[in-house]
Amino acid sequence: MKDFTDLHSHSTYSLLDAFGTPKQIVLRAQSLQRKALAITDHGSISGWIQFGKACSEAEIKPIFGYEAYAVDSLAEMFLNKQRKKNHITLLAESDEGYRNLLKVATLAYDNFYYFPTIDWNLLCENSEGIIVLSGCWSSKLQRLLANGEQEEAEKWAVMMKDVFKDRFFLETQHYDLHMQTFDKLKVLSERTAIPIVLTCDPHYQTPDQAYIQEILHAIRDKRTFEAEKIIEKAFQWESQQLFDYVSEKFDYDWDRVFSTTAEIAERCSAKMQTGSFPSFISDSNLSGRDLLLSECKKGIERYGLKGKGKRYNDRFKRELEVIEEKGYVDYILIAADLIRWAKENGTLVGSGRGSSAGSLICYLLGITSLDPIEHDLLFERFIDVTRTDPPDIDTDFDALRRDLVKEYAKQKYGADKVCDIATFAKFKGKNSLDEIGKVYKIPRNKIEIVKRYLIERSGGDMRVELTIQDTFDIAPEAKEVAEEYPAVLDACVLEGQLRHLAVHAAGVLISTRPLDEVIALYKRDDRVISSFEMRDASSLGLIKVDFLGLDELSIQREIFEMAGREMLDIYKIPLDDLETLQAFKNVDVQGIFQYVGDSTKSVLRQLPYVDFEQLIACLTLSKPGPAHSGSATRYIAKMRGSGNVGSFDWHPILAEITSKTFGQIIYQEQIIRILREFANFSVTDANTCRVLIAKSKGEQEFHRYYPIFEREVKDKISTEQAKHLWDSIKVFGRYAFNRSHAASYAMVGYWSMYMKTHYADEFYVCKLNHEAKKEEKLRLLMDAAKKGYEILPPLLGVSGATWAIEGEKKLRAALTEIDGIGEKTAVKMIEEGYSCREDFQNKKVKGVTVRALKALETAQGFQGDIPKEDFFGIHKYDILDILAPERVKSEDIRDWDKSYFIVTAGRFVEMNYKDIFEERASRGQSTEGIKNPDKAKYAMLLLEDETDRCLVHVDRYLFDRIGSDVWKAYNEQMFVVVSGVKVDGWRMVRAREIALYANHQEES
Ligand SMILES: [Zn+2]
Ligand SMILES: [Zn+2]
């Protein structure tokens, strides 16, 4: 028997049809000792990069393929609304074939009708370097053979052979159906001298996974699992088994066929095509380096940094060296140019999100707005010399104007060299459970039981996660569900598989070569997107710029414009404005970007004074990590001058590194500095250690660096001290935060407060106009009311389509605040000059609906201040009747300063068990006893009411009685009314009674 190679196989990129990531399919091939493997996903090449990488790790030859959807004629397809497509298997033989496949995949998306589709003409026009296998059971050839149209089949095969020459093969598969047409195929092969090739078309990897494909199909077709629909034998076969199997089915020279697969694999030599970093386009004839230098010079003058001394000089030189060596000069120039253009053209740009804030050169070029030396931000966080992937310049743009910047990039670099980026949604835990629940008809409440134990994290949050499997392992209730409904366990296999294609919210790719020569381009909702996801694309040498849209920046631009100031003045706002800092000190943070959270407020309340440094710290100290590890408490105690526990200032170098943070380690930058400046670690090692500490499972590897540490510090400190310091680095490093990121966001938050302080009218108006959530709007209104603003109701003839200032300290509501009146209708009424009810009878205007009229009529009663009904639809004073604590007077409600007995209402947004669990788990402590919240003895919940948040403590006696209600309220986000006793000095209630209300439909 000869070697067999799978020339036709599917991965999870054949969305909801096949099971197995590119890596998983390669691992299976490796276990079968394959020398080569092809990937041929349906209408998609998106798995190629990961497949290529997995193959090179496994030392298997990758064959880049594509199973196309094809019709005889695209024109006819569109004319006749032809949904039915033929499949055909295409493989890249050479680099040219690879590029042609990219082209074919791109053109298929240009002709999208239910599927990305091609026709024979299109394929033949781009035939060079492509090997064609005639296709699976859904191919044109097999259809004709099955229908007995032998002549037609031969005609088509000959046509293909004429074009593709020795690169065309007749494909058969081991399935029963193919065996039925095999004699016809044999005849065809003999008459045309086109060789036969066998493929298995695996859609999953091992025989026992067949049911998973059926699950995927059931999800795709929105139906339940049907065992009889399972497609068997569609796995990666072991060669000998396959040989025996087909030999038994049909007597043929299978040895010959097997060698054909190996020969084809041998011929395929296409490699991944890479782009190269685009060059910056400019009118000047300076080189990239000189241009960078001249731009930096301008920056030095602009910021008055001339003669700032050695620190700036050294830093500049070092950054330049790294940037040049790594080849990022053009990348940085491109980013700087985009940002410069944005700013000059009325688009407010954030201060530079994330690590780019650590670069002096980025600051000089205007990419970021904070002096990294003054603010202790490290360059190493920006360009990690240990890594090959390009640095991230993530930039927040005014959300309303972001697309203009993208357009500028297209104009400058060419529309064919700029595109949006694809992203694939994956099955996550909760989502997998929901789908499995539907597929197997498992009762919803059972699924909910399992779901509530899951802990999902998103976007770089490194804290402990609980996967579905963990859930079944640790939670007896979940286990019980699994015992009753074993099918629920199938959710585990779905986790991490792909679901659907989407467009990345912010990323844009820029290339020097036309993009369709490096990647295929898909079309989605009229947008051109890359076939590869961000990480895959950037590994091909394309650059990615994140154009994040931030509403906050649109609001701030509008506030400044409304106040008659230049948008560019925002960058000149002084960071030591006393009124602004005082407002932070007063925790006047309603509507302030990044500072509205309850934990942020709590930190602000405790700080003895506030300056910009404290604002950076505040964003960090309010994160769950520093709160749990106690560094927040110690920071504040030290700042207040009480307590010196756990400080790092016992050595001069450490004291210097922690001088701004009262001896505490709260930033990742401090970890790097200690390792570098105190223990002489190389940049590489320091960075590696920082990453290891942050990982929940990196501890062991981190400790491998201890001997180096010990050796380097032994002249400075004792062995005990070294050991102690090392452990502390580990403990505090885990929760340390990226200072660059915090500083950038503190700045945008600071701008926000500056505006609230100096342009309050404009602040409230713009905030109210942008705020879509009714709850948030009410909070803003209450905040304004507290400041003495009068809130005027929407009034026909007076109100505009947006909120407005009407005389001193008077805010007039927009007509759109009336339910049922949208912006269009409001504008119409204003344009037509409606001022009273009669106008509706007299003027016959199209576009103003009956619904709007009704709404307006109802609103006649809406006079004066905020409506009596609260936003949950329950009358505030009714709450007293419900709970009837005779001691409570209505004035007591939510008056935290005066009353002893409290009634408050809202929704539980957090339940304690998760926090306790994760804190313990991340410290490696036992989670025994808290793994079952239903058996918890008490609960601590976070209640969000209409103005703030407070803690609700449910003690063991009450919990005993209403524990399950509390869970229900939390899980279903029900509205609750809590009455109880206030705890001194805290926003906390010891609950006496909790009442649940069914969810009211909130209007949007
Ligand atoms: Zn197929
Ligand atoms: Zn297939």
Side-chain angles (χ1 to χ4, degrees):
M1 184 210 62
K2 295 288 189 333
D3 265 351
F4 176 77
T5 302
D6 266 312
L7 296 172
H8 179 163
S9 70
H10 294 267
S11 78
T12 182
Y13 283 93
S14 295
L15 301 174
L16 298 183
D17 184 30
F19 173 73
T21 59
K23 181 151 189 138
Q24 286 168 328
I25 76 170
V26 170
L27 288 179
R28 166 70 175 168
Q30 190 183 33
S31 75
L32 297 171
Q33 278 105 44
R34 291 275 147 77
K35 294 194 190 72
L37 176 70
I39 184 170
T40 52
D41 282 310
H42 289 298
S44 170
I45 62 144
S46 299
W48 281 10
I49 306 299
Q50 285 167 42
F51 174 73
K53 283 184 184 157
C55 279
S56 85
E57 274 165 29
E59 294 181 5
I60 283 177
K61 181 183 199 177
I63 300 169
F64 301 100
Y66 174 79
E67 182 166 357
Y69 296 100
V71 292
D72 287 342
S73 150
L74 286 166
E76 275 173 34
M77 170 185 82
F78 285 118
L79 272 176
N80 304 335
K81 301 197 162 124
Q82 178 191 343
R83 288 177 66 165
K84 203 150 183 74
K85 308 285 149 78
N86 298 301
H87 293 189
I88 189 158
T89 320
L90 311 175
L91 306 171
E93 183 185 37
S94 59
D95 288 350
E96 189 179 3
Y98 184 105
R99 285 191 292 272
N100 271 330
L101 272 189
L102 293 177
K103 222 169 178 183
V104 168
T106 302
L107 290 168
Y109 260 91
D110 288 343
N111 295 293
F112 194 98
Y113 186 70
Y114 286 91
F115 301 102
T117 314
I118 58 166
D119 63 12
W120 312 124
N121 255 338
L122 188 157
L123 178 61
C124 294
E125 277 163 20
N126 300 285
S127 64
E128 249 354 276
I130 293 179
I131 288 179
V132 178
L133 316 184
S134 64
C136 65
W137 189 248
S138 302
S139 65
K140 181 179 173 82
L141 192 80
Q142 291 290 353
R143 274 188 222 279
L144 291 172
L145 292 179
N147 286 342
E149 298 175 61
Q150 187 87 16
E151 224 169 279
E152 273 296 303
E154 190 171 322
K155 222 168 92 188
W156 183 80
V158 169
M159 185 274 286
M160 291 299 278
K161 192 189 173 184
D162 282 347
V163 178
F164 287 90
K165 312 278 180 328
D166 65 341
R167 288 177 283 115
F168 180 63
F169 296 85
L170 300 176
E171 183 174 358
T172 189
Q173 297 180 341
H174 59 298
Y175 303 96
D176 292 348
L177 287 168
H178 289 81
M179 291 296 148
Q180 286 163 24
T181 54
F182 192 77
D183 46 358
K184 294 177 185 163
L185 193 75
K186 205 174 104 182
V187 173
L188 186 62
S189 168
E190 280 155 9
R191 285 175 51 90
T192 58
I194 305 170
I196 289 178
V197 67
L198 175 77
T199 66
C200 292
D201 203 2
H203 280 67
Y204 45 89
Q205 310 319 314
T206 50
D208 57 316
Q209 291 168 345
Y211 75 99
I212 306 175
Q213 189 191 17
E214 168 54 16
I215 292 176
L216 293 170
H217 285 170
I219 295 171
R220 181 190 65 190
D221 303 339
K222 299 189 172 61
R223 56 173 173 81
T224 52
F225 186 89
E226 291 171 51
E228 60 277 14
K229 285 195 173 156
I230 288 178
I231 300 166
E232 280 170 351
K233 306 191 189 83
F235 54 90
Q236 289 195 50
W237 283 66
E238 200 270 313
S239 300
Q240 186 65 52
Q241 260 178 355
L242 181 65
F243 188 85
D244 295 344
Y245 183 83
V246 288
S247 303
E248 194 184 306
K249 290 272 171 182
F250 210 98
D251 180 28
Y252 192 67
D253 184 2
W254 291 108
D255 253 330
R256 177 75 235 117
V257 173
F258 271 41
S259 6
T260 306
T261 65
E263 281 157 25
I264 293 174
E266 197 63 34
R267 279 165 61 179
C268 290
S269 62
K271 286 186 195 55
M272 277 189 264
Q273 302 291 294
T274 53
S276 55
F277 253 46
S279 315
F280 175 60
I281 298 173
S282 89
D283 306 330
S284 122
N285 40 21
L286 292 176
S287 70
R289 180 182 193 271
D290 292 344
L291 209 57
L292 187 77
L293 286 176
S294 101
E295 290 297 315
C296 286
K297 212 172 135 232
K298 285 185 207 160
I300 292 172
E301 276 157 25
R302 188 170 58 241
Y303 295 125
L305 296 177
K306 241 182 192 159
K308 266 273 191 174
K310 197 166 170 325
R311 273 173 80 205
Y312 281 80
N313 221 344
D314 290 352
R315 173 74 163 259
F316 181 75
K317 275 190 193 146
R318 185 160 56 88
E319 288 196 12
L320 187 65
E321 202 177 300
V322 174
I323 288 170
E324 271 198 283
E325 192 191 297
K326 286 260 172 186
Y328 298 145
V329 170
D330 285 280
Y331 173 38
I332 285 172
L333 284 171
I334 288 170
D337 175 62
L338 292 173
I339 289 163
R340 178 198 53 77
W341 185 88
K343 286 180 178 173
E344 282 172 7
N345 289 276
T347 305
L348 185 58
V349 180
S351 121
R353 160 198 285 249
S355 52
S356 55
S359 160
L360 178 63
I361 287 184
C362 284
Y363 174 62
L364 294 176
L365 294 179
I367 294 174
T368 59
S369 323
L370 272 177
D371 180 337
I373 296 186
E374 201 182 309
H375 292 280
D376 272 347
L377 309 175
L378 291 189
F379 179 64
E380 283 81 5
R381 289 294 280 118
F382 175 49
I383 296 181
D384 181 343
V385 286
T386 58
R387 283 167 53 174
T388 51
D389 42 345
D392 276 338
I393 297 183
D394 295 346
T395 310
D396 293 313
F397 292 93
D398 177 337
L400 296 176
R401 304 180 55 90
R402 185 180 63 138
D403 284 348
L404 297 177
V405 189
K406 212 153 63 180
E407 273 315 305
Y408 169 72
K410 278 187 185 161
Q411 273 170 28
K412 180 141 190 171
Y413 298 94
D416 58 338
K417 295 177 185 113
V418 177
C419 73
D420 290 334
I421 305 178
T423 178
F424 286 89
K426 283 184 177 150
F427 282 100
K428 294 184 89 180
K430 288 183 182 165
N431 175 234
S432 308
L433 283 164
D434 282 336
E435 291 292 0
I436 287 295
K438 280 186 237 159
V439 164
Y440 288 113
K441 288 202 244 173
I442 300 168
R444 267 216 76 73
N445 57 343
K446 300 286 176 184
I447 293 292
E448 291 300 326
I449 291 177
V450 186
K451 264 167 75 179
R452 74 179 183 213
Y453 292 93
L454 280 182
I455 301 181
E456 285 177 356
R457 308 274 185 211
S458 57
D461 190 336
M462 305 288 262
R463 290 173 296 154
V464 176
E465 280 186 300
L466 283 192
T467 63
I468 309 179
Q469 189 60 56
D470 294 336
T471 307
F472 293 125
D473 291 345
I474 64 143
E477 263 72 12
K479 213 183 279 175
E480 266 169 39
V481 175
E483 271 155 26
E484 194 180 349
Y485 299 94
V488 76
L489 290 168
D490 289 352
C492 303
V493 299
L494 280 188
E495 232 175 349
Q497 298 288 310
L498 304 184
R499 238 194 112 88
H500 57 81
L501 172 67
V503 185
H504 189 275
V508 171
L509 284 181
I510 305 177
S511 159
T512 22
R513 278 166 74 177
L515 277 161
D516 58 4
E517 291 174 17
V518 190
I519 57 174
L521 295 171
Y522 297 167
K523 289 223 169 64
R524 189 93 185 173
D525 313 325
D526 292 330
R527 290 165 79 179
V528 177
I529 59 172
S530 66
S531 49
F532 298 130
E533 286 190 278
M534 186 114 82
R535 203 151 24 108
D536 296 340
S538 57
S539 76
L540 293 178
L542 304 171
I543 75 160
K544 162 225 126 187
V545 185
D546 259 351
F547 290 59
L548 296 131
L550 195 59
D551 286 336
E552 176 62 27
L553 295 175
S554 310
I555 299 171
Q556 294 191 0
R557 171 177 51 81
E558 284 180 18
I559 295 173
F560 250 50
E561 281 170 2
M562 197 185 269
R565 294 200 55 181
E566 289 286 317
M567 187 272 284
L568 287 171
D569 286 349
I570 295 177
Y571 301 106
K572 296 178 192 147
I573 291 175
L575 291 180
D576 54 358
D577 181 71
L578 287 180
E579 284 166 90
T580 306
L581 293 170
Q582 188 56 43
F584 274 112
K585 180 75 197 71
N586 297 344
V587 201
D588 181 15
V589 292
Q590 195 59 56
I592 300 302
F593 180 70
Q594 294 285 312
Y595 288 87
V596 273
D598 61 302
S599 51
T600 329
K601 282 187 213 163
S602 147
V603 172
L604 277 176
R605 273 193 201 101
Q606 298 174 65
L607 294 176
Y609 63 88
V610 173
D611 56 19
F612 189 65
E613 183 60 39
Q614 303 319 318
L615 291 179
I616 304 175
C618 180
L619 290 185
T620 310
L621 297 174
S622 55
K623 294 278 178 302
H628 283 158
S629 67
S631 45
T633 322
R634 283 192 298 274
Y635 181 101
I636 293 164
K638 190 79 191 293
M639 191 178 173
R640 288 177 168 280
S642 56
N644 195 23
V645 188
S647 270
F648 285 86
D649 43 11
W650 44 269
H651 188 280
I653 296 179
L654 299 178
E656 206 277 304
I657 293 171
T658 57
S659 63
K660 282 188 177 165
T661 53
F662 304 95
Q664 298 299 316
I665 296 179
I666 60 172
Y667 302 118
Q668 292 169 355
E669 280 83 348
Q670 292 174 313
I671 299 286
I672 297 180
R673 284 188 64 196
I674 292 178
L675 293 173
R676 300 255 295 125
E677 294 168 28
F678 191 62
N680 308 319
F681 271 44
S682 67
V683 179
T684 315
D685 286 353
N687 250 326
T688 313
C689 285
R690 176 190 61 78
V691 175
L692 287 175
I693 300 169
K695 272 193 203 160
S696 45
K697 286 166 188 160
E699 198 168 312
Q700 258 193 333
E701 236 181 294
F702 170 68
H703 285 310
R704 279 196 213 131
Y705 286 85
Y706 182 66
I708 311 179
F709 181 80
E710 197 181 18
R711 189 186 67 217
E712 292 295 332
V713 300
K714 73 166 186 285
D715 295 340
K716 300 188 184 104
I717 52 178
S718 70
T719 318
E720 289 86 71
Q721 283 175 318
K723 188 89 197 65
H724 170 72
L725 181 58
W726 184 254
D727 286 340
S728 309
I729 289 174
K730 188 196 77 196
V731 172
F732 297 109
R734 165 165 298 143
Y735 296 124
F737 202 63
N738 182 343
R739 181 173 161 93
S740 292
H741 192 80
S744 307
Y745 268 17
M747 184 136 161
V748 180
Y750 180 88
W751 290 346
S752 175
M753 185 63 100
Y754 181 87
M755 294 180 192
K756 188 177 182 182
T757 315
H758 296 276
Y759 305 106
D761 287 359
E762 292 82 358
F763 177 87
Y764 285 116
V765 165
C766 294
K767 278 274 171 187
L768 286 164
N769 283 336
H770 276 266
E771 187 54 69
K773 279 195 211 137
K774 217 170 171 181
E775 304 180 14
E776 290 301 322
K777 220 175 240 179
L778 265 154
R779 285 179 196 188
L780 274 168
L781 287 175
M782 289 188 175
D783 190 53
K786 252 198 273 171
K787 296 231 159 73
Y789 277 89
E790 200 178 323
I791 319 291
L792 304 169
L795 206 59
L796 197 60
V798 178
S799 283
T802 53
W803 283 79
I805 283 289
E806 198 177 294
E808 198 171 333
K809 292 229 161 187
K810 285 186 177 133
L811 288 165
R812 171 67 72 183
L815 281 179
T816 50
E817 290 302 322
I818 300 169
D819 282 337
I821 295 186
E823 205 185 318
K824 262 195 194 157
T825 314
V827 169
K828 192 119 219 165
M829 293 195 299
I830 293 160
E831 275 173 3
E832 297 296 333
Y834 279 44
S835 61
C836 58
R837 286 172 74 178
E838 282 70 42
D839 284 342
F840 286 99
Q841 281 126 34
N842 303 337
K843 301 183 189 181
K844 288 202 169 54
V845 182
K846 280 176 273 170
V848 177
T849 61
V850 180
R851 190 163 170 241
L853 285 177
K854 275 230 171 92
L856 206 66
E857 226 153 77
T858 323
Q860 296 299 318
F862 184 75
Q863 292 288 341
D865 55 3
I866 302 163
K868 293 279 185 295
E869 297 268 311
D870 82 20
F871 62 97
F872 290 111
I874 295 179
H875 197 290
K876 201 151 118 179
Y877 301 103
D878 288 349
I879 295 167
L880 295 181
D881 298 336
I882 297 160
L883 295 162
E886 55 288 347
R887 285 169 291 173
V888 183
K889 287 189 245 60
S890 61
E891 307 89 84
D892 290 344
I893 297 180
R894 295 188 198 90
D895 194 342
W896 286 90
D897 296 324
K898 287 184 209 141
S899 57
Y900 166 75
F901 200 84
I902 291 288
V903 179
T904 186
R907 293 196 168 95
F908 290 136
V909 290
E910 232 170 279
M911 185 129 175
N912 70 330
Y913 125 89
K914 281 189 180 180
D915 282 345
I916 297 175
F917 183 88
E918 108 200 350
E919 189 191 343
R920 288 193 158 210
S922 62
R923 285 185 185 168
Q925 291 170 348
S926 156
T927 52
E928 205 70 34
I930 49 163
K931 61 190 173 188
N932 179 359
D934 274 358
K935 287 179 186 151
K937 293 205 169 63
Y938 68 96
M940 188 72 87
L941 296 113
L942 194 59
L943 180 91
E944 193 169 65
D945 66 11
E946 66 211 63
T947 54
D948 210 333
R949 287 169 158 201
C950 73
L951 284 170
V952 175
H953 180 254
V954 181
D955 68 19
R956 50 189 305 176
Y957 302 105
L958 185 59
F959 199 85
D960 208 34
R961 192 153 53 85
I962 61 163
S964 56
D965 277 358
V966 170
W967 264 105
K968 192 173 149 83
Y970 168 67
N971 280 325
E972 294 173 19
Q973 284 291 288
M974 292 173 81
F975 180 76
V976 294
V977 177
V978 179
S979 69
V981 177
K982 192 179 77 173
V983 178
D984 255 354
W986 290 72
R987 283 189 67 87
M988 180 167 153
V989 190
R990 290 194 197 289
R992 292 242 179 109
E993 202 62 66
I994 296 179
L996 273 54
Y997 291 86
N999 272 330
H1000 285 257
Q1001 209 58 47
E1002 267 182 64
E1003 306 201 26
S1004 49

